[in-house]
Amino acid sequence: MSHSTADSLRPVTLDDVRGAQKMLAGVARVTGMEGSRRLSQLVGAPVHLKCENLQRTGSFKLRGAYVRIAGLLPEERAAGVVAASAGNHAQGVALASSLLGVHSTVFMPRGAPLPKISATREYGAEVRLHGQVVDETLAAAQEYAAETGAVFIHPFDHADVIAGQGTVGLEILEQRPEVRTIVVGIGGGGLAAGIAVAVKALRPDVRIVGVQAAGAAAYPPSLAAGRPLAIEHPATMADGIKVGRPGDVPFGIVGDLVDEVRTVTEDELSTALLYCMERAKLVVEPAGASPVAALLSDPGAFEGPVVAVLSGGNVDPLLLQRLLRHGMSAQGRYLAVRVRLTDRPGALAALLGVLSVVDANVLDVSHVRTHPRLGLTEAEVELHLETKGPAHCAEVEQSLREAGYTVIG
């Protein structure tokens, strides 16, 4: 393990990952593997889910943070550590620091979800809210490090962090030695790089597939250019992999050892998150669901047995509510439609009667009675409906039209 910050760019080896595994014994959980019958049917081979969403702090981040902080020199520990994060890395650094007796300061964006802020404080960190986006928060943390001498703990761009994350790869090989493909989400690249170092050293035949959100996919153009490139305004619901530029250290490893980087859409992410809850009974965040999204969207592309890494489960309940609705909509199980009708007593009851006949469950109803597009006796009703799939959605809309209603969409 590293004992200073000077060698952050050194190569990461299998011995580093094995050393990290010994260091993490009794600290990080050896997370379980859950088989997935439905995914196995789709892929045509066994699929197992590596449940890092059940890791301490709810994600794999504790592994790398602990190894990095444990490797500090005594004088570096005495100066304390500082990090910037909207969630998972913050909690990993907070708990790792507490376990090692090191003072930690964590900068978080002002808009970070309250449960993540509270959890970070409860794990022992001093939390400072700064900026609206992570880039501003990161700058504040680095400024704090320069002023105070605290050691900045990067979420992915350090050899020790990558070695810690690589212990996930060792566990996969121990738990499922027959594995042929490992699928893992990629943001900055620390987890994928660590897994690749460990797995390719022991089993070069295992294929490693990285997954990025299409709206925050910095790796494909960077790999094509042969150097890390930044993308402007990365946009995705998967904040755990919403990183605008690959890390310098993981980029080289991913380029050498990861076989393929795929992208998934927002609809595919929300569908995968819903799948994990309904079918696997596992709460995951969108970034954690990204490997499942890749499997669901193109199951024939993966040679089995497959292990999909569920990297984290820290999702804000309010966001989860929206994500589940988005996932249901993507599957055709949720329909939002506006209907124009005559504004008279009994009109809404008649409309709901039509929906009852076609067995559409009404979740929400709202009226618009005053608008330039409406006539004096007209109203619009926006309906949110629970449906049984795309064919049922089409049946509902057709029934409304046949009953004489103007369906606006």
Side-chain angles (χ1 to χ4, degrees):
M1 292 300 99
S2 164
H3 292 287
S4 77
T5 56
D7 58 352
S8 64
L9 294 172
R10 65 183 169 79
V12 185
T13 67
L14 175 61
D15 284 343
D16 292 327
V17 182
R18 283 179 163 154
Q21 189 176 43
K22 290 177 183 175
M23 190 179 288
L24 288 167
V27 174
R29 291 178 185 142
V30 176
T31 51
M33 286 274 192
E34 291 290 332
S36 173
R37 187 170 63 87
R38 175 62 178 149
L39 285 176
S40 298
Q41 289 172 339
L42 287 172
V43 172
V47 175
H48 288 87
L49 309 174
K50 175 64 170 165
C51 298
E52 282 296 289
N53 58 313
L54 303 180
Q55 182 57 263
R56 294 176 75 179
T57 74
S59 89
F60 70 96
K61 291 287 191 177
L62 171 66
R63 298 173 183 264
Y66 187 91
V67 173
R68 173 77 174 97
I69 297 167
L72 296 177
L73 295 166
E75 57 267 29
E76 290 175 319
R77 289 195 188 199
V81 299
V82 61
S85 167
N88 290 347
H89 180 58
Q91 293 172 66
V93 168
L95 179 57
S97 300
S98 293
L99 293 171
L100 291 163
V102 176
H103 180 267
S104 63
T105 304
V106 175
F107 285 77
M108 302 182 78
R110 295 187 189 281
L114 286 176
K116 294 187 177 182
I117 295 171
S118 298
T120 304
R121 285 194 173 116
E122 287 167 12
Y123 286 127
E126 177 189 340
V127 174
R128 300 192 179 192
L129 301 179
H130 185 92
Q132 298 302 320
V133 295
V134 174
D135 286 344
E136 295 172 0
T137 310
L138 189 63
Q142 289 171 326
E143 186 178 327
Y144 176 89
E147 289 173 356
T148 65
V151 179
F152 180 71
I153 307 298
H154 199 284
F156 50 81
D157 213 4
H158 194 284
D160 286 354
V161 172
I162 292 169
Q165 321 305 28
T167 58
V168 175
L170 293 181
E171 289 178 18
I172 290 171
L173 294 184
E174 290 161 5
Q175 293 168 309
R176 290 283 171 253
E178 71 278 14
V179 65
R180 298 291 300 166
T181 305
I182 296 172
V183 191
V184 56
I186 295 185
L191 178 60
I195 289 174
V197 167
V199 171
K200 289 293 189 177
L202 294 167
R203 287 279 306 282
D205 59 301
V206 172
R207 183 173 177 80
I208 297 177
V209 179
V211 183
Q212 292 211 284
Y219 264 90
S222 297
L223 292 168
R227 58 190 174 86
L229 298 176
I231 58 170
E232 288 188 16
H233 312 302
T236 174
M237 68 176 75
D239 59 351
I241 52 175
K242 186 180 175 182
V243 177
R245 182 186 183 278
D248 293 324
V249 185
F251 176 76
I253 298 170
V254 170
D256 289 341
L257 300 179
V258 171
D259 296 281
E260 180 188 3
V261 177
R262 303 171 74 91
T263 61
V264 291
T265 66
E266 299 297 283
D267 279 356
E268 288 164 349
L269 283 167
S270 56
T271 297
L273 186 145
L274 183 61
Y275 170 88
C276 288
M277 286 197 69
E278 284 193 324
R279 303 299 293 266
K281 311 302 181 227
L282 292 166
V283 176
V284 295
E285 59 194 87
S290 59
V292 174
L295 290 170
L296 288 172
S297 64
D298 191 8
F302 302 89
E303 181 187 355
V306 177
V307 171
V309 181
L310 306 184
S311 57
N314 292 319
V315 57
D316 178 53
L318 294 175
L319 175 62
L320 181 61
Q321 191 176 20
R322 295 202 302 272
L323 290 171
L324 292 177
R325 187 166 283 189
H326 189 93
M328 289 177 69
S329 180
Q331 288 188 334
R333 293 166 52 191
Y334 179 86
L335 177 65
V337 64
R338 280 187 295 136
V339 177
R340 190 167 297 171
L341 44 71
T342 303
D343 190 11
R344 57 177 172 75
L348 179 59
L351 172 62
L352 296 179
V354 173
L355 296 172
S356 176
V357 170
V358 290
D359 203 23
N361 186 30
V362 179
L363 300 174
D364 192 28
V365 179
S366 61
H367 280 83
V368 176
R369 287 190 168 89
T370 305
H371 196 279
R373 67 173 174 261
L374 295 175
L376 185 63
T377 61
E378 289 183 321
E380 277 182 9
V381 176
E382 183 171 338
L383 298 155
H384 292 203
L385 309 171
E386 185 180 0
T387 52
K388 299 171 184 175
H392 191 209
C393 288
E395 181 188 352
V396 169
E397 293 191 14
Q398 182 62 27
S399 295
L400 289 169
R401 290 189 179 95
E402 288 176 356
Y405 294 102
T406 302
V407 179
I408 301 167

